[in-house]
Amino acid sequence: MKKISVLGATGSVGINTLKIIAYNKNKYNVIALTSYKNYKKLAKLALMFNCKYAVIGKKKYFRNLKEELFGSNIKCLAGYQAICEVSSLSVDILISAIVGIAGLKPTFAGIGKAKILAIANKESVISAGSLLLKKAKLKKTKIIPLDSEHNAIYQILQNENKSSIKNIVLTASGGPFLKMNKKNFKNITVADALKHPNWKMGKKISVDSASMMNKTFEIIEAKKIFDISYKKLSILIHPKSYVHAVLKFKNGLTKMIVHDTSMEIPIFNSLYNSNRHIRSKKIDLKILNNLEFKKIDLKRFPVVKLLKKLPEKNSLFETVLVSVNDKLVKLFLNNRIKFTDISKKMNSILNLKEFKKYKKLKAKKIEDIINLNKKIEIKMNKKIN
């Protein structure tokens, strides 16, 4: 049996991972499950999979978790340090699905301890991709991206030479506002932004998808994971989200990965080799006959223009981008700014000298990124408040 731990077990990626494991319980031994505050769901999953450790991030829910797991042999832990500690347990596969910079330390803790790091924590890749890949290579931990777009690229490149790539296209659905009249953008509510047409996701990533910041982040991720120039990366609108990535090769061939809008598929193909079977729908010929690829309207999705501000070399500016966006999305979710303010304020803040200087600075260790994130949050609080 393979040992597996899931960081962020109660989120969409965590739940989909455990759903796949549930079909094949005899193949996996679940070591640790973590959650930030959903102690009831965490306890239910911990009992279902009879894991060794259940860790709740918010310490105030520790007693609740212990009560839910009373009578079991599952060890309950609480706090951020405890999450980092179980991340460093020796396992075959570590699923990193904690949202935000909070996922950075636990992800790094797993490198060298896990044979495979299956990562959905985009902030870790965006902010610390070069450090992460360098350590993984040194410690012989294989990294597999779980996002459907990056997993699609990864699957294609299993049998291809990276140097033969001419360009890569990531697809974007366009989210809930693809066809909305631009005049109505000023009236967009939080509820509107959370209604993604194709995917069921958490609040933060849903807002990022609605603004297209999520796709902007995915371009940065692709650059870091596959060590490829921004010049070879682009985005196309594809409302059905049926095609996840398109790779054009120098020999004239173009390859793409097509599958339903289910995270179970990229997760399944990260956990198992290709000769195993997963239940999935038949190929939808209606969609294949009408893929509807379109260029991005940058007036509708201005955050995508931020890609032109990014330096080709890795820098701390990517951390600035992540931190500023995190704060602005929180403000929007709390109804303190408008949806359109996210891109406006982002642009004006990133143009400030005090932030632009990070384009020339490089992270030497993950503490540089964590400290900068805290610094940016303090500065943002002063500027917004």
Side-chain angles (χ1 to χ4, degrees), residues 298-332:
L298 294 177
K299 288 183 180 178
R300 183 177 293 273
F301 302 113
V303 294
V304 178
K305 290 190 281 188
L306 291 171
L307 287 170
K308 293 181 180 178
K309 294 179 183 286
L310 298 175
E312 191 67 42
K313 290 183 178 179
N314 295 318
S315 74
L316 280 166
F317 191 69
E318 289 86 28
T319 301
V320 175
L321 183 63
V322 167
S323 304
V324 171
N325 179 68
D326 276 357
K327 179 64 179 178
L328 292 174
V329 170
K330 281 177 188 173
L331 289 170
F332 169 67

PDB file of all heavy atoms in Angstrom, residues 298-332:
ATOM      1  N   LEU A 298      -8.851  42.358 -23.582  1.00  0.00           N
ATOM      2  CA  LEU A 298      -8.087  42.918 -22.458  1.00  0.00           C
ATOM      3  C   LEU A 298      -8.809  44.076 -21.767  1.00  0.00           C
ATOM      4  O   LEU A 298      -8.470  44.427 -20.633  1.00  0.00           O
ATOM      5  CB  LEU A 298      -6.709  43.366 -22.939  1.00  0.00           C
ATOM      6  CG  LEU A 298      -5.783  42.223 -23.399  1.00  0.00           C
ATOM      7  CD1 LEU A 298      -4.473  42.775 -23.929  1.00  0.00           C
ATOM      8  CD2 LEU A 298      -5.518  41.239 -22.271  1.00  0.00           C
ATOM      9  N   LYS A 299      -9.807  44.657 -22.434  1.00  0.00           N
ATOM     10  CA  LYS A 299     -10.598  45.698 -21.777  1.00  0.00           C
ATOM     11  C   LYS A 299     -11.571  45.057 -20.784  1.00  0.00           C
ATOM     12  O   LYS A 299     -11.904  45.640 -19.755  1.00  0.00           O
ATOM     13  CB  LYS A 299     -11.369  46.505 -22.818  1.00  0.00           C
ATOM     14  CG  LYS A 299     -10.473  47.416 -23.643  1.00  0.00           C
ATOM     15  CD  LYS A 299     -11.281  48.252 -24.622  1.00  0.00           C
ATOM     16  CE  LYS A 299     -10.363  49.164 -25.439  1.00  0.00           C
ATOM     17  NZ  LYS A 299     -11.131  49.943 -26.440  1.00  0.00           N
ATOM     18  N   ARG A 300     -11.994  43.857 -21.087  1.00  0.00           N
ATOM     19  CA  ARG A 300     -12.890  43.114 -20.208  1.00  0.00           C
ATOM     20  C   ARG A 300     -12.105  42.476 -19.050  1.00  0.00           C
ATOM     21  O   ARG A 300     -12.579  42.401 -17.927  1.00  0.00           O
ATOM     22  CB  ARG A 300     -13.611  42.025 -21.018  1.00  0.00           C
ATOM     23  CG  ARG A 300     -14.631  41.212 -20.243  1.00  0.00           C
ATOM     24  CD  ARG A 300     -15.328  40.210 -21.159  1.00  0.00           C
ATOM     25  NE  ARG A 300     -16.157  40.876 -22.137  1.00  0.00           N
ATOM     26  CZ  ARG A 300     -17.421  41.243 -21.944  1.00  0.00           C
ATOM     27  NH1 ARG A 300     -17.995  40.979 -20.782  1.00  0.00           N
ATOM     28  NH2 ARG A 300     -18.109  41.856 -22.883  1.00  0.00           N
ATOM     29  N   PHE A 301     -10.885  41.997 -19.386  1.00  0.00           N
ATOM     30  CA  PHE A 301     -10.037  41.323 -18.388  1.00  0.00           C
ATOM     31  C   PHE A 301      -8.665  42.004 -18.322  1.00  0.00           C
ATOM     32  O   PHE A 301      -7.651  41.446 -18.730  1.00  0.00           O
ATOM     33  CB  PHE A 301      -9.870  39.847 -18.751  1.00  0.00           C
ATOM     34  CG  PHE A 301     -11.164  39.087 -18.861  1.00  0.00           C
ATOM     35  CD1 PHE A 301     -11.595  38.593 -20.085  1.00  0.00           C
ATOM     36  CD2 PHE A 301     -11.953  38.870 -17.749  1.00  0.00           C
ATOM     37  CE1 PHE A 301     -12.774  37.877 -20.196  1.00  0.00           C
ATOM     38  CE2 PHE A 301     -13.153  38.161 -17.844  1.00  0.00           C
ATOM     39  CZ  PHE A 301     -13.559  37.666 -19.073  1.00  0.00           C
ATOM     40  N   PRO A 302      -8.605  43.226 -17.783  1.00  0.00           N
ATOM     41  CA  PRO A 302      -7.353  44.002 -17.784  1.00  0.00           C
ATOM     42  C   PRO A 302      -6.218  43.407 -16.955  1.00  0.00           C
ATOM     43  O   PRO A 302      -5.054  43.739 -17.189  1.00  0.00           O
ATOM     44  CB  PRO A 302      -7.779  45.371 -17.232  1.00  0.00           C
ATOM     45  CG  PRO A 302      -9.038  45.118 -16.476  1.00  0.00           C
ATOM     46  CD  PRO A 302      -9.721  43.996 -17.182  1.00  0.00           C
ATOM     47  N   VAL A 303      -6.516  42.521 -15.996  1.00  0.00           N
ATOM     48  CA  VAL A 303      -5.436  41.972 -15.161  1.00  0.00           C
ATOM     49  C   VAL A 303      -4.437  41.148 -15.978  1.00  0.00           C
ATOM     50  O   VAL A 303      -3.278  41.008 -15.583  1.00  0.00           O
ATOM     51  CB  VAL A 303      -5.969  41.105 -13.988  1.00  0.00           C
ATOM     52  CG1 VAL A 303      -6.750  41.924 -13.000  1.00  0.00           C
ATOM     53  CG2 VAL A 303      -6.775  39.925 -14.492  1.00  0.00           C
ATOM     54  N   VAL A 304      -4.879  40.634 -17.125  1.00  0.00           N
ATOM     55  CA  VAL A 304      -3.989  39.818 -17.959  1.00  0.00           C
ATOM     56  C   VAL A 304      -2.811  40.650 -18.473  1.00  0.00           C
ATOM     57  O   VAL A 304      -1.724  40.126 -18.720  1.00  0.00           O
ATOM     58  CB  VAL A 304      -4.767  39.173 -19.130  1.00  0.00           C
ATOM     59  CG1 VAL A 304      -3.849  38.358 -20.035  1.00  0.00           C
ATOM     60  CG2 VAL A 304      -5.875  38.273 -18.588  1.00  0.00           C
ATOM     61  N   LYS A 305      -3.029  41.969 -18.587  1.00  0.00           N
ATOM     62  CA  LYS A 305      -1.955  42.861 -19.051  1.00  0.00           C
ATOM     63  C   LYS A 305      -0.784  42.911 -18.070  1.00  0.00           C
ATOM     64  O   LYS A 305       0.305  43.340 -18.414  1.00  0.00           O
ATOM     65  CB  LYS A 305      -2.506  44.278 -19.279  1.00  0.00           C
ATOM     66  CG  LYS A 305      -3.454  44.373 -20.485  1.00  0.00           C
ATOM     67  CD  LYS A 305      -3.802  45.813 -20.836  1.00  0.00           C
ATOM     68  CE  LYS A 305      -4.842  46.375 -19.923  1.00  0.00           C
ATOM     69  NZ  LYS A 305      -5.333  47.706 -20.354  1.00  0.00           N
ATOM     70  N   LEU A 306      -1.022  42.441 -16.843  1.00  0.00           N
ATOM     71  CA  LEU A 306       0.042  42.415 -15.834  1.00  0.00           C
ATOM     72  C   LEU A 306       1.198  41.516 -16.256  1.00  0.00           C
ATOM     73  O   LEU A 306       2.329  41.703 -15.808  1.00  0.00           O
ATOM     74  CB  LEU A 306      -0.506  41.924 -14.491  1.00  0.00           C
ATOM     75  CG  LEU A 306      -1.484  42.854 -13.760  1.00  0.00           C
ATOM     76  CD1 LEU A 306      -2.109  42.140 -12.567  1.00  0.00           C
ATOM     77  CD2 LEU A 306      -0.775  44.119 -13.296  1.00  0.00           C
ATOM     78  N   LEU A 307       0.921  40.548 -17.111  1.00  0.00           N
ATOM     79  CA  LEU A 307       1.972  39.630 -17.571  1.00  0.00           C
ATOM     80  C   LEU A 307       3.104  40.382 -18.267  1.00  0.00           C
ATOM     81  O   LEU A 307       4.256  39.952 -18.239  1.00  0.00           O
ATOM     82  CB  LEU A 307       1.386  38.574 -18.519  1.00  0.00           C
ATOM     83  CG  LEU A 307       0.521  37.492 -17.846  1.00  0.00           C
ATOM     84  CD1 LEU A 307      -0.205  36.666 -18.889  1.00  0.00           C
ATOM     85  CD2 LEU A 307       1.376  36.595 -16.956  1.00  0.00           C
ATOM     86  N   LYS A 308       2.778  41.519 -18.877  1.00  0.00           N
ATOM     87  CA  LYS A 308       3.803  42.319 -19.560  1.00  0.00           C
ATOM     88  C   LYS A 308       4.717  43.037 -18.578  1.00  0.00           C
ATOM     89  O   LYS A 308       5.787  43.498 -18.943  1.00  0.00           O
ATOM     90  CB  LYS A 308       3.131  43.332 -20.492  1.00  0.00           C
ATOM     91  CG  LYS A 308       2.411  42.676 -21.665  1.00  0.00           C
ATOM     92  CD  LYS A 308       1.770  43.703 -22.576  1.00  0.00           C
ATOM     93  CE  LYS A 308       1.061  43.030 -23.747  1.00  0.00           C
ATOM     94  NZ  LYS A 308       0.381  44.000 -24.625  1.00  0.00           N
ATOM     95  N   LYS A 309       4.275  43.134 -17.329  1.00  0.00           N
ATOM     96  CA  LYS A 309       5.077  43.820 -16.303  1.00  0.00           C
ATOM     97  C   LYS A 309       6.072  42.875 -15.626  1.00  0.00           C
ATOM     98  O   LYS A 309       6.940  43.308 -14.879  1.00  0.00           O
ATOM     99  CB  LYS A 309       4.152  44.409 -15.219  1.00  0.00           C
ATOM    100  CG  LYS A 309       3.230  45.518 -15.694  1.00  0.00           C
ATOM    101  CD  LYS A 309       2.365  45.991 -14.525  1.00  0.00           C
ATOM    102  CE  LYS A 309       1.369  47.065 -14.959  1.00  0.00           C
ATOM    103  NZ  LYS A 309       2.023  48.351 -15.184  1.00  0.00           N
ATOM    104  N   LEU A 310       5.910  41.568 -15.873  1.00  0.00           N
ATOM    105  CA  LEU A 310       6.725  40.593 -15.153  1.00  0.00           C
ATOM    106  C   LEU A 310       8.091  40.397 -15.796  1.00  0.00           C
ATOM    107  O   LEU A 310       8.199  40.256 -17.015  1.00  0.00           O
ATOM    108  CB  LEU A 310       5.999  39.245 -15.095  1.00  0.00           C
ATOM    109  CG  LEU A 310       4.671  39.235 -14.350  1.00  0.00           C
ATOM    110  CD1 LEU A 310       4.007  37.870 -14.471  1.00  0.00           C
ATOM    111  CD2 LEU A 310       4.859  39.586 -12.879  1.00  0.00           C
ATOM    112  N   PRO A 311       9.133  40.343 -14.975  1.00  0.00           N
ATOM    113  CA  PRO A 311      10.473  40.084 -15.513  1.00  0.00           C
ATOM    114  C   PRO A 311      10.607  38.626 -15.938  1.00  0.00           C
ATOM    115  O   PRO A 311       9.976  37.747 -15.350  1.00  0.00           O
ATOM    116  CB  PRO A 311      11.394  40.400 -14.332  1.00  0.00           C
ATOM    117  CG  PRO A 311      10.544  40.203 -13.121  1.00  0.00           C
ATOM    118  CD  PRO A 311       9.151  40.556 -13.520  1.00  0.00           C
ATOM    119  N   GLU A 312      11.409  38.387 -16.974  1.00  0.00           N
ATOM    120  CA  GLU A 312      11.608  37.012 -17.460  1.00  0.00           C
ATOM    121  C   GLU A 312      12.313  36.155 -16.400  1.00  0.00           C
ATOM    122  O   GLU A 312      12.017  34.975 -16.244  1.00  0.00           O
ATOM    123  CB  GLU A 312      12.422  37.044 -18.759  1.00  0.00           C
ATOM    124  CG  GLU A 312      12.481  35.721 -19.507  1.00  0.00           C
ATOM    125  CD  GLU A 312      11.146  35.259 -20.088  1.00  0.00           C
ATOM    126  OE1 GLU A 312      10.402  36.089 -20.640  1.00  0.00           O
ATOM    127  OE2 GLU A 312      10.850  34.058 -19.973  1.00  0.00           O
ATOM    128  N   LYS A 313      13.240  36.782 -15.665  1.00  0.00           N
ATOM    129  CA  LYS A 313      13.942  36.045 -14.612  1.00  0.00           C
ATOM    130  C   LYS A 313      13.092  36.001 -13.350  1.00  0.00           C
ATOM    131  O   LYS A 313      12.319  36.909 -13.067  1.00  0.00           O
ATOM    132  CB  LYS A 313      15.283  36.716 -14.304  1.00  0.00           C
ATOM    133  CG  LYS A 313      16.297  36.568 -15.436  1.00  0.00           C
ATOM    134  CD  LYS A 313      17.629  37.196 -15.040  1.00  0.00           C
ATOM    135  CE  LYS A 313      18.670  37.012 -16.153  1.00  0.00           C
ATOM    136  NZ  LYS A 313      19.965  37.627 -15.791  1.00  0.00           N
ATOM    137  N   ASN A 314      13.246  34.924 -12.569  1.00  0.00           N
ATOM    138  CA  ASN A 314      12.505  34.786 -11.310  1.00  0.00           C
ATOM    139  C   ASN A 314      12.865  35.929 -10.366  1.00  0.00           C
ATOM    140  O   ASN A 314      14.024  36.305 -10.257  1.00  0.00           O
ATOM    141  CB  ASN A 314      12.847  33.456 -10.641  1.00  0.00           C
ATOM    142  CG  ASN A 314      12.394  32.271 -11.468  1.00  0.00           C
ATOM    143  OD1 ASN A 314      11.302  32.290 -12.017  1.00  0.00           O
ATOM    144  ND2 ASN A 314      13.216  31.244 -11.560  1.00  0.00           N
ATOM    145  N   SER A 315      11.851  36.462  -9.696  1.00  0.00           N
ATOM    146  CA  SER A 315      12.093  37.573  -8.774  1.00  0.00           C
ATOM    147  C   SER A 315      11.062  37.562  -7.655  1.00  0.00           C
ATOM    148  O   SER A 315      10.105  36.782  -7.682  1.00  0.00           O
ATOM    149  CB  SER A 315      12.020  38.910  -9.519  1.00  0.00           C
ATOM    150  OG  SER A 315      10.668  39.221  -9.828  1.00  0.00           O
ATOM    151  N   LEU A 316      11.244  38.468  -6.699  1.00  0.00           N
ATOM    152  CA  LEU A 316      10.292  38.599  -5.596  1.00  0.00           C
ATOM    153  C   LEU A 316       9.035  39.354  -6.018  1.00  0.00           C
ATOM    154  O   LEU A 316       8.074  39.453  -5.253  1.00  0.00           O
ATOM    155  CB  LEU A 316      10.957  39.315  -4.414  1.00  0.00           C
ATOM    156  CG  LEU A 316      11.852  38.441  -3.535  1.00  0.00           C
ATOM    157  CD1 LEU A 316      12.711  39.301  -2.621  1.00  0.00           C
ATOM    158  CD2 LEU A 316      11.031  37.453  -2.715  1.00  0.00           C
ATOM    159  N   PHE A 317       9.027  39.876  -7.244  1.00  0.00           N
ATOM    160  CA  PHE A 317       7.870  40.632  -7.716  1.00  0.00           C
ATOM    161  C   PHE A 317       6.642  39.734  -7.838  1.00  0.00           C
ATOM    162  O   PHE A 317       5.512  40.185  -7.663  1.00  0.00           O
ATOM    163  CB  PHE A 317       8.182  41.297  -9.064  1.00  0.00           C
ATOM    164  CG  PHE A 317       7.144  42.300  -9.493  1.00  0.00           C
ATOM    165  CD1 PHE A 317       6.986  43.494  -8.808  1.00  0.00           C
ATOM    166  CD2 PHE A 317       6.325  42.056 -10.585  1.00  0.00           C
ATOM    167  CE1 PHE A 317       6.026  44.426  -9.194  1.00  0.00           C
ATOM    168  CE2 PHE A 317       5.379  42.979 -10.994  1.00  0.00           C
ATOM    169  CZ  PHE A 317       5.225  44.165 -10.286  1.00  0.00           C
ATOM    170  N   GLU A 318       6.864  38.433  -8.134  1.00  0.00           N
ATOM    171  CA  GLU A 318       5.742  37.500  -8.221  1.00  0.00           C
ATOM    172  C   GLU A 318       5.055  37.357  -6.857  1.00  0.00           C
ATOM    173  O   GLU A 318       3.840  37.225  -6.774  1.00  0.00           O
ATOM    174  CB  GLU A 318       6.208  36.120  -8.711  1.00  0.00           C
ATOM    175  CG  GLU A 318       6.612  36.086 -10.167  1.00  0.00           C
ATOM    176  CD  GLU A 318       8.060  36.484 -10.392  1.00  0.00           C
ATOM    177  OE1 GLU A 318       8.877  36.286  -9.474  1.00  0.00           O
ATOM    178  OE2 GLU A 318       8.385  36.991 -11.472  1.00  0.00           O
ATOM    179  N   THR A 319       5.848  37.429  -5.781  1.00  0.00           N
ATOM    180  CA  THR A 319       5.283  37.382  -4.427  1.00  0.00           C
ATOM    181  C   THR A 319       4.454  38.630  -4.166  1.00  0.00           C
ATOM    182  O   THR A 319       3.379  38.562  -3.559  1.00  0.00           O
ATOM    183  CB  THR A 319       6.404  37.266  -3.370  1.00  0.00           C
ATOM    184  OG1 THR A 319       7.150  36.075  -3.622  1.00  0.00           O
ATOM    185  CG2 THR A 319       5.842  37.213  -1.956  1.00  0.00           C
ATOM    186  N   VAL A 320       4.950  39.769  -4.631  1.00  0.00           N
ATOM    187  CA  VAL A 320       4.211  41.030  -4.496  1.00  0.00           C
ATOM    188  C   VAL A 320       2.851  40.903  -5.184  1.00  0.00           C
ATOM    189  O   VAL A 320       1.815  41.273  -4.622  1.00  0.00           O
ATOM    190  CB  VAL A 320       5.004  42.215  -5.103  1.00  0.00           C
ATOM    191  CG1 VAL A 320       4.171  43.491  -5.073  1.00  0.00           C
ATOM    192  CG2 VAL A 320       6.314  42.422  -4.351  1.00  0.00           C
ATOM    193  N   LEU A 321       2.865  40.362  -6.385  1.00  0.00           N
ATOM    194  CA  LEU A 321       1.642  40.184  -7.166  1.00  0.00           C
ATOM    195  C   LEU A 321       0.629  39.312  -6.412  1.00  0.00           C
ATOM    196  O   LEU A 321      -0.554  39.661  -6.301  1.00  0.00           O
ATOM    197  CB  LEU A 321       1.983  39.548  -8.521  1.00  0.00           C
ATOM    198  CG  LEU A 321       0.844  39.340  -9.522  1.00  0.00           C
ATOM    199  CD1 LEU A 321       0.236  40.671  -9.930  1.00  0.00           C
ATOM    200  CD2 LEU A 321       1.346  38.597 -10.751  1.00  0.00           C
ATOM    201  N   VAL A 322       1.090  38.195  -5.891  1.00  0.00           N
ATOM    202  CA  VAL A 322       0.230  37.280  -5.137  1.00  0.00           C
ATOM    203  C   VAL A 322      -0.339  37.966  -3.896  1.00  0.00           C
ATOM    204  O   VAL A 322      -1.539  37.887  -3.615  1.00  0.00           O
ATOM    205  CB  VAL A 322       1.010  36.006  -4.724  1.00  0.00           C
ATOM    206  CG1 VAL A 322       0.236  35.199  -3.674  1.00  0.00           C
ATOM    207  CG2 VAL A 322       1.293  35.131  -5.933  1.00  0.00           C
ATOM    208  N   SER A 323       0.515  38.658  -3.158  1.00  0.00           N
ATOM    209  CA  SER A 323       0.121  39.294  -1.895  1.00  0.00           C
ATOM    210  C   SER A 323      -0.881  40.418  -2.114  1.00  0.00           C
ATOM    211  O   SER A 323      -1.873  40.530  -1.379  1.00  0.00           O
ATOM    212  CB  SER A 323       1.356  39.831  -1.164  1.00  0.00           C
ATOM    213  OG  SER A 323       2.292  38.801  -0.948  1.00  0.00           O
ATOM    214  N   VAL A 324      -0.621  41.245  -3.107  1.00  0.00           N
ATOM    215  CA  VAL A 324      -1.523  42.369  -3.412  1.00  0.00           C
ATOM    216  C   VAL A 324      -2.884  41.834  -3.852  1.00  0.00           C
ATOM    217  O   VAL A 324      -3.933  42.304  -3.409  1.00  0.00           O
ATOM    218  CB  VAL A 324      -0.914  43.294  -4.498  1.00  0.00           C
ATOM    219  CG1 VAL A 324      -1.934  44.318  -4.971  1.00  0.00           C
ATOM    220  CG2 VAL A 324       0.326  44.009  -3.956  1.00  0.00           C
ATOM    221  N   ASN A 325      -2.879  40.841  -4.709  1.00  0.00           N
ATOM    222  CA  ASN A 325      -4.144  40.265  -5.182  1.00  0.00           C
ATOM    223  C   ASN A 325      -4.924  39.636  -4.036  1.00  0.00           C
ATOM    224  O   ASN A 325      -6.148  39.805  -3.942  1.00  0.00           O
ATOM    225  CB  ASN A 325      -3.874  39.220  -6.264  1.00  0.00           C
ATOM    226  CG  ASN A 325      -5.155  38.578  -6.767  1.00  0.00           C
ATOM    227  OD1 ASN A 325      -5.978  39.218  -7.408  1.00  0.00           O
ATOM    228  ND2 ASN A 325      -5.344  37.306  -6.458  1.00  0.00           N
ATOM    229  N   ASP A 326      -4.236  38.916  -3.149  1.00  0.00           N
ATOM    230  CA  ASP A 326      -4.900  38.287  -1.996  1.00  0.00           C
ATOM    231  C   ASP A 326      -5.675  39.323  -1.186  1.00  0.00           C
ATOM    232  O   ASP A 326      -6.830  39.109  -0.808  1.00  0.00           O
ATOM    233  CB  ASP A 326      -3.871  37.610  -1.083  1.00  0.00           C
ATOM    234  CG  ASP A 326      -3.507  36.217  -1.558  1.00  0.00           C
ATOM    235  OD1 ASP A 326      -4.101  35.755  -2.557  1.00  0.00           O
ATOM    236  OD2 ASP A 326      -2.626  35.587  -0.954  1.00  0.00           O
ATOM    237  N   LYS A 327      -5.016  40.444  -0.920  1.00  0.00           N
ATOM    238  CA  LYS A 327      -5.634  41.497  -0.107  1.00  0.00           C
ATOM    239  C   LYS A 327      -6.842  42.101  -0.833  1.00  0.00           C
ATOM    240  O   LYS A 327      -7.904  42.297  -0.221  1.00  0.00           O
ATOM    241  CB  LYS A 327      -4.597  42.585   0.193  1.00  0.00           C
ATOM    242  CG  LYS A 327      -5.134  43.755   1.015  1.00  0.00           C
ATOM    243  CD  LYS A 327      -5.565  43.308   2.399  1.00  0.00           C
ATOM    244  CE  LYS A 327      -6.071  44.467   3.240  1.00  0.00           C
ATOM    245  NZ  LYS A 327      -6.533  44.039   4.570  1.00  0.00           N
ATOM    246  N   LEU A 328      -6.699  42.374  -2.112  1.00  0.00           N
ATOM    247  CA  LEU A 328      -7.788  42.998  -2.867  1.00  0.00           C
ATOM    248  C   LEU A 328      -8.997  42.071  -2.997  1.00  0.00           C
ATOM    249  O   LEU A 328     -10.142  42.521  -2.898  1.00  0.00           O
ATOM    250  CB  LEU A 328      -7.292  43.418  -4.257  1.00  0.00           C
ATOM    251  CG  LEU A 328      -6.271  44.557  -4.272  1.00  0.00           C
ATOM    252  CD1 LEU A 328      -5.726  44.789  -5.676  1.00  0.00           C
ATOM    253  CD2 LEU A 328      -6.892  45.857  -3.732  1.00  0.00           C
ATOM    254  N   VAL A 329      -8.742  40.791  -3.178  1.00  0.00           N
ATOM    255  CA  VAL A 329      -9.849  39.828  -3.272  1.00  0.00           C
ATOM    256  C   VAL A 329     -10.586  39.734  -1.932  1.00  0.00           C
ATOM    257  O   VAL A 329     -11.820  39.678  -1.892  1.00  0.00           O
ATOM    258  CB  VAL A 329      -9.346  38.435  -3.734  1.00  0.00           C
ATOM    259  CG1 VAL A 329     -10.458  37.393  -3.599  1.00  0.00           C
ATOM    260  CG2 VAL A 329      -8.871  38.492  -5.176  1.00  0.00           C
ATOM    261  N   LYS A 330      -9.837  39.743  -0.827  1.00  0.00           N
ATOM    262  CA  LYS A 330     -10.467  39.727   0.506  1.00  0.00           C
ATOM    263  C   LYS A 330     -11.359  40.945   0.697  1.00  0.00           C
ATOM    264  O   LYS A 330     -12.471  40.859   1.232  1.00  0.00           O
ATOM    265  CB  LYS A 330      -9.392  39.704   1.604  1.00  0.00           C
ATOM    266  CG  LYS A 330      -8.777  38.333   1.838  1.00  0.00           C
ATOM    267  CD  LYS A 330      -7.672  38.413   2.885  1.00  0.00           C
ATOM    268  CE  LYS A 330      -6.912  37.086   2.979  1.00  0.00           C
ATOM    269  NZ  LYS A 330      -5.735  37.194   3.872  1.00  0.00           N
ATOM    270  N   LEU A 331     -10.861  42.099   0.260  1.00  0.00           N
ATOM    271  CA  LEU A 331     -11.637  43.339   0.374  1.00  0.00           C
ATOM    272  C   LEU A 331     -12.924  43.256  -0.447  1.00  0.00           C
ATOM    273  O   LEU A 331     -13.990  43.684   0.000  1.00  0.00           O
ATOM    274  CB  LEU A 331     -10.799  44.537  -0.087  1.00  0.00           C
ATOM    275  CG  LEU A 331      -9.645  44.949   0.834  1.00  0.00           C
ATOM    276  CD1 LEU A 331      -8.755  45.973   0.146  1.00  0.00           C
ATOM    277  CD2 LEU A 331     -10.175  45.516   2.151  1.00  0.00           C
ATOM    278  N   PHE A 332     -12.828  42.683  -1.635  1.00  0.00           N
ATOM    279  CA  PHE A 332     -14.015  42.525  -2.482  1.00  0.00           C
ATOM    280  C   PHE A 332     -15.006  41.549  -1.849  1.00  0.00           C
ATOM    281  O   PHE A 332     -16.210  41.816  -1.791  1.00  0.00           O
ATOM    282  CB  PHE A 332     -13.616  42.039  -3.882  1.00  0.00           C
ATOM    283  CG  PHE A 332     -14.799  41.612  -4.724  1.00  0.00           C
ATOM    284  CD1 PHE A 332     -15.736  42.543  -5.157  1.00  0.00           C
ATOM    285  CD2 PHE A 332     -14.979  40.275  -5.067  1.00  0.00           C
ATOM    286  CE1 PHE A 332     -16.839  42.152  -5.911  1.00  0.00           C
ATOM    287  CE2 PHE A 332     -16.065  39.868  -5.822  1.00  0.00           C
ATOM    288  CZ  PHE A 332     -17.001  40.816  -6.250  1.00  0.00           C
TER     289      PHE A 332
END
